[in-house]
Amino acid sequence: MDGLAVGKGGALMESLFTAENTVLGIGNIILSDEGFGVRVVEYLQKNFNFPDNVALIDGGTLGIELTQFVTGTKKLLIIDSIDGDKTPHTRLELGKLYAKQGREKEAEIEFKKSIEIDGGKSPHSFLELGRLYANQGKDELAEISLKKCIEIDNGCNAYARLELGMLYARQGKKNEAQIQL
């Protein structure tokens, strides 16, 4: 069973139910994520001094059993990791969130990462990237992304055609706009 060093110097019983703030590191130090959360807690314990109202917990792979150690805490920070190279949809949704918040550079990065992860097979990231570029006035890049979406299709063809048609209309390309619309 992995660790369970709690609080300062690993004083387990002193920290149960009493910490106002808890940092919980989770992970398997032998498999897959190399115990990222556990290693972060170890690093924090070795390199920083925290006030008495902060508990650092090496949760290892305990799972639901950890609830007894975090029940009653007011603020809980869980540190864990996943294999992010296998979740293009997550990257797409994160990009959409960034775009909605006006964080255009971050949105662009996430859309491109989504495209990279899925090998350019899903049209939705191209559609969102095209919309982002169109909103930024980067018409050439918008056109390339939207055309790629139409080429791949998979259900977003109509949206991409509408976006591309509006882009052409803004540029005064009446014939091209009519073809798309």
Side-chain angles (χ1 to χ4, degrees), residues 100-117:
K100 193 178 229 183
Q101 294 173 341
R103 297 168 61 184
E104 295 175 343
K105 189 64 183 166
E106 291 99 329
E108 180 181 8
I109 290 167
E110 294 304 327
F111 294 146
K112 286 181 175 181
K113 191 69 170 173
S114 176
I115 291 166
E116 177 186 323
I117 291 168

Side-chain angles (χ1 to χ4, degrees), residues 127 146 149-151 156-168 176-177 179-181:
L127 174 63
L146 294 169
C149 176
I150 292 167
E151 177 186 318
C156 76
N157 190 319
Y159 295 110
R161 287 191 181 283
L162 177 61
E163 294 285 340
L164 192 56
M166 292 187 319
L167 176 69
Y168 287 148
E176 290 91 337
I179 291 170
Q180 297 304 322
L181 300 173

Side-chain angles (χ1 to χ4, degrees), residues 90-103:
T90 302
R91 296 286 194 164
L92 172 63
E93 292 304 315
L94 186 56
K96 287 164 65 174
L97 176 66
Y98 285 151
K100 193 178 229 183
Q101 294 173 341
R103 297 168 61 184

Side-chain angles (χ1 to χ4, degrees), residues 32-33 80-92 94 110 113-118:
S32 65
D33 68 2
D80 196 3
S81 66
I82 61 167
D83 184 353
D85 284 343
K86 296 183 180 170
T87 57
H89 186 75
T90 302
R91 296 286 194 164
L92 172 63
L94 186 56
E110 294 304 327
K113 191 69 170 173
S114 176
I115 291 166
E116 177 186 323
I117 291 168
D118 77 2

Side-chain angles (χ1 to χ4, degrees), residues 115-129:
I115 291 166
E116 177 186 323
I117 291 168
D118 77 2
K121 297 174 190 162
S122 174
H124 301 288
S125 297
F126 285 105
L127 174 63
E128 294 302 329
L129 187 58

